[in-house]
Structures are given as structure tokens and as C-alpha cells.
Amino acid sequence: MTYLRDYQEECCEKVNSELSNGTTSTLVVMPTGTGKTETFLEIADRWPEGEVLVLAHREELVWQPWQRWLDKTGEHGEIEMGDIRRSTYAKCRITFASKDSLYREKRLERCFPDPKRVGLVIIDEAHHAVKQNKTYQRILDYLDHPGLRVLGVTATPDRTDELALGQNFQTVAFDYPLLDPAGGASAIRDGWLVPIRQLLVTVDEIDFDELKVSGGDFQAKSLALEMSQEKVLHRVAEPTMEMAGGQRCMVFAAGIDQASRLAEIFNRKMSGRAFCLVSRVSQSQNYGHVINSRDKNSRKRALKRFAEGFYQYAVNVGCLTEGYDCPQVRMLSMARPTKSRSLAAQMCGRGTRILPGVIEGTDWRLETPEKRKKAIEISPKPFVRVLDFVGNSRHKLVTVADVLGGKYPDEVVGKAKELIAGAGEFGVVEALAEAEEIHHTELEERRQIQAKVKYQSQAVDPFGVLQVVPAREPGWHKGRQPTHGQIRALLKFRIEKHKIEKMSFHQASQLIDGLIQRAEGKLATYRQCKMLQKHGVDTKDLSFSRAGDLISRLAANKWTHL
């Protein structure tokens, strides 16, 4: 379809508004498969002043938007990557560049002798562009001038190493989640991606407790050795083949030896139906089914044959987590356990695309979520199945429930994982909804118990007083402190200064939202709630006027009882 989807149009408008009103850098968060490339190319096409530079960290992420720009506008955008150089007399105002090629001083000066001519820099997969990444930073420092604007686009803003994207991006202009616990717009509920069904497979032979952790995730070498044990290989391969049936399956492996052996086991069952894609091939692993991802022609041929159905299993080690689209994938086998939500989200995103021609075509589109979800339901791909492998572990492993539950409280995600573990295959959306209902029931029970007991603690938690359930902190906010505006707003709502000093930017934002909602609903204020809860009053839905009456009664009784 040539025109944008509704959320893509909304994103373009919000980015334009953000960058034209004083903000110099902003972030867009959209799940894999929802058209990030089409969206940022539309933003580039509408950009009013100066040249546009699109930066990416991998070759395919340079060529893909270049090709789509050509399809969209008929223009051959400039390219700066490897041996390909941007023309000195460039006629097209957009340049697609590899950040590893462009960051060198001489190439920067040759490409953009006058940095002020660049009006917009778009960074694809922007979760890589933290301050500590010197290649991105050198490019941005060279191009920096008062009129420059920077747009980051990512599906996975969380980083395992907890480095904050907020250091490079001032705001988040648009955040379109996979799932919204409040029932708002989200990719799966709106029918733009297929639902996810998860199956947890316990492999007793895997002992994660012995694995080393580095940068917030398992150390690659120790994980690869653990997952390459003979028994573990078969415990992973057997359920993968059983659950896949005849459907196309992508397998994510932890190391080259594991990937090669898994593909070998698949091929024993069905000769020639599996290949593995790895970054290097040793002499001992030089089999026909092992393909070096750096061999561009072999890689392209293998992936084409996988998309066409010649291969059923595509095993890879970090080669297909970004920038590869194959809607025909019906199952994902996570043979690379992780503690990283961002990595799990990248892997999960390889399977959530809808089959072509189901919800839209060249000149048509199903315009309502109900129609799209019905079409998905009766299509050959009504959902994507994800196999997550778990073993003996004190570590908190990240699974699909963590990916979809990004905006849910940790307690809800934990309960959803328990439900999935106890029920075999489970729809993750349904598990989260059921877990949220259980969580709310438990909160209500606790609240009723608390209302019967006189409040004695001196350490008052504003979230507890207002009964605001803290949500997970998005990756782009990690490390950020409350702004002066937030501090002023919280003080105006009479939140204690020493409590504000302990809050993060995200906590302050969430608490302000809760306070504003109470004010708009004419409910009791923070100070009223705090005072009345000491005397066992349930303040959840208590009105401002009723709270005032109760406090007056307390005062008349010399603050001893109601």
C-alpha cells in the first residue's frame, strides 16, 4: 500500500512537531515489522531544509532503505559505504551511509565539506547510538550546528548494559508498543502483527548457574559451551522438530559449534532441509550446510531458498537478529537463552510479520483492527510459535513474556511466566491479561487488609499512598534524573523533597501522571490520602470533598479517631 498506516502518519506528525519546536534530537520506538523504514523515509521526504543523512551499522540496513527510497521516489539516493563513495556532485539530497565507513575524518570531510548543509540525521537501530559509541559520536560531533536535528529509530530501546539512550536523545516523540496493558493502541491488538504463542521447554542438562555474566548477559563463550553439550543439543532439536512440523523455523544459537551441530541433526531427520549461517567457518566445520555470512552471494542464495521453502530450518548465530525479514517464518526456536530483553525482542521480531496479502495489498487495506485480526486468524499464519528453553538457574532468563510485557509491572510478567510454564503452550497476550487480573485481585486484597490496620510506618511511599503501580523503566530513560519541571510539579503536588531526590525521571513522570489523573477526577490529594490512610481509610476512589469532610471530622476528634 502506498499511503501510510494511521500510526505511521501519527508518528510523522509527532516527530515534525517535536523537531520544529526547539528539540534537537528525538527517538521513535516501533516494533519490528511495523514499518519503521517506511516511516522514517516519509519523514525524510517531508523534511523542509537541508540534506538528510541516514546512518546504519550493517550493510543490509544501508541497502534496504536505499532500495525503498528508490521505489518510493524514483531517486537514486547517495551511498557512503566501503568502496562506494558519495558523489562530489550529488544530485539527491539524501545519503545512506555505514557509520563504520563514514566516521573517519577524511571521509566525513569529503562527503560533507560543509556540515551546515545537513539538516537531519536519521539513525536506524538507534539503540546502538549511545554516547559511549565513538563512531556515532564522532559523526554527530562533526555535523553539529544549531540547525541540525537528529532522529533515532529503534524497536528495542532497552540495553543490557543499561547505558541510557537519553544521553543522545532528548525526548521520545513516538512510542508504539507491541502490547499496551491499558488497552491503548499497540501493534498486536491493532492487527498489524501476528499474535505470539509461547512454549517453555525445560532442559535439565542446562546449568546456567555456572555461566559467567558480562555486560548484563551470559558471556558468549561460556554459554556456547553449555549449549553445545551433546544431550543439550538433542533436547533442543527434538522439541524444535516436533513443534515445527512442516513449518519454516528460525533457530537462534549461542555459538558456531552449536549451530553447526543443530543443523546437522535437522538434516539427519530430513536431508538437505537445514542450513546454518555463521560469521566464520573453521576447517573442522566446513560442511555444505554451514554458510559464512560474510560470503554475500552464498548468504543471499541461502536466505532466498529459505524464504521460498527449499530450506525449513535457518540456524544462525547473531546474523539474523536485525535487518532480516521473512514473513513465512512460523516458528522461532530460542536455542540461545538470554538475560537481555533487547536481544530477546530482536529475535522475537523475526517471526511476528503477517503473511503478504492478508491485511493489505497493492491498492487495498483492511482499515479496522477487527477485520485485520480476523484475516490473520483465518490465514495460513494465525500466530507465531516461540520455543523458549530454560534449565536450572538462579539467573532471571528473559522470554517472550518479558518482551510483550515491557509495559506491565514486573509482578504481572512474573505471574504470566508462571502460567505459561504450568500450561504448556499458551498465548502470551492471554497469559499477561490473566496475570494482570490475578495481580489486581491480590492488590485489592492487600489494600483491604491495609485499610483495617492503623497506618504506623513513618516511611511513606508516594506510589503506595496513591496506589500507582510502578511500571518498568524504558531503556531510553535509564540513568536519567527528574527534570526541573518535574521537580517543580511534584513539589506543587506536595510530594516531599527528600522523596523526589530518590526518584528517577521515569518514576517522576509516572507519579505526575497519576497525580494529574486524580486531580482531573476530583479525587483526594496526596496529602489527604497520606493523612487518612494513617487512620485506616481506603482512599483509592475517595473524592476530594469527601476527604475534606473526613479530615474535618478527625480534627474535631483531636486527630484520635474518625
Side-chain angles (χ1 to χ4, degrees), residues 199-486:
L199 180 65
L200 285 178
V201 180
T202 300
V203 182
D204 293 330
E205 287 79 4
I206 304 175
D207 188 359
F208 294 109
D209 286 350
E210 298 301 317
L211 300 184
K212 296 176 182 178
V213 174
S214 176
D217 200 4
F218 296 120
Q219 189 184 74
K221 187 175 181 180
S222 62
L223 179 62
L225 285 171
E226 184 70 23
M227 298 302 293
S228 297
Q229 296 179 72
E230 187 69 21
K231 285 187 177 179
V232 173
L233 288 167
H234 288 278
R235 294 286 190 275
V236 168
E238 287 167 9
T240 297
M241 290 187 287
E242 181 182 342
M243 298 305 296
Q247 300 168 353
R248 252 161 291 183
C249 174
M250 191 179 293
V251 182
F252 295 94
I256 294 172
D257 188 51
Q258 179 202 9
S260 172
R261 292 293 314 284
L262 283 173
E264 179 191 342
I265 293 169
F266 295 146
N267 281 328
R268 272 189 232 153
K269 182 81 172 178
M270 293 176 292
S271 180
R273 294 286 281 156
F275 73 97
C276 77
L277 197 62
V278 295
S279 58
R280 57 183 174 80
V281 181
S282 66
Q283 193 60 39
S284 63
Q285 294 158 335
N286 192 17
Y287 305 111
H289 64 265
V290 181
I291 296 168
N292 191 326
S293 64
R294 296 177 184 177
D295 182 341
K296 296 176 185 177
N297 290 332
S298 295
R299 172 191 169 112
K300 186 176 180 180
R301 182 167 59 251
L303 293 177
K304 183 173 184 291
R305 298 180 87 183
F306 177 61
E308 291 170 347
F310 177 84
Y311 288 120
Q312 182 183 353
Y313 298 97
V315 189
N316 77 101
V317 184
C319 303
L320 302 177
T321 52
E322 295 176 331
Y324 175 65
D325 305 333
C326 183
Q328 291 78 15
V329 169
R330 290 286 311 275
M331 195 177 96
L332 302 172
S333 181
M334 306 297 203
R336 192 261 183 254
T338 181
K339 289 165 60 67
S340 165
R341 183 178 175 274
S342 59
L343 178 58
Q346 288 166 351
M347 294 189 291
C348 189
R350 298 308 112 202
T352 51
R353 292 177 185 273
I354 300 167
L355 289 172
V358 172
I359 62 167
E360 59 189 352
T362 307
D363 56 359
W364 64 274
R365 176 181 295 152
L366 299 178
E367 293 294 351
T368 67
E370 292 72 23
K371 289 180 179 179
R372 290 191 292 269
K373 287 190 283 189
K374 185 62 179 176
I376 293 169
E377 186 182 332
I378 62 175
S379 76
K381 183 182 176 180
F383 58 85
V384 62
R385 177 179 284 119
V386 179
L387 266 63
D388 273 310
F389 295 91
V390 296
N392 301 309
S393 179
R394 58 182 165 79
H395 295 288
K396 182 182 177 183
L397 298 180
V398 170
T399 69
V400 179
D402 295 277
V403 175
L404 280 183
K407 294 208 167 196
Y408 285 82
D410 287 335
E411 294 89 344
V412 172
V413 176
K415 289 182 188 300
K417 291 166 86 168
E418 290 174 11
L419 289 171
I420 292 168
E425 187 174 84
F426 209 123
V428 183
V429 174
E430 291 83 355
L432 285 164
E434 187 173 333
E436 186 177 35
E437 187 174 332
I438 294 170
H439 181 58
H440 282 315
T441 301
E442 289 177 352
L443 284 178
E444 183 65 22
E445 289 172 354
R446 288 182 217 158
R447 185 173 61 81
Q448 289 173 1
I449 292 169
Q450 183 185 19
K452 297 175 184 176
V453 181
K454 187 173 180 179
Y455 193 92
Q456 294 179 337
S457 173
Q458 296 301 310
V460 180
D461 172 22
F463 285 87
V465 171
L466 297 169
Q467 299 183 45
V468 174
V469 180
R472 287 184 170 189
E473 184 176 45
W476 59 84
H477 286 327
K478 286 191 182 296
R480 292 185 68 185
Q481 299 301 309
T483 65
H484 292 301
Q486 287 178 322

Side-chain angles (χ1 to χ4, degrees), residues 9 33 59 88 102 115 151 159 165-166 181 206 217 223 235 252 268 285 327 396 410 445 450-451 492 535 543 546 552:
E9 186 63 49
E59 182 178 343
T88 309
L102 185 61
L151 170 64
R159 288 179 57 96
L165 286 173
I206 304 175
D217 200 4
L223 179 62
R235 294 286 190 275
F252 295 94
R268 272 189 232 153
Q285 294 158 335
K396 182 182 177 183
D410 287 335
E445 289 172 354
Q450 183 185 19
K492 189 175 179 181
H535 296 272
S543 70
R546 177 60 178 159
S552 296

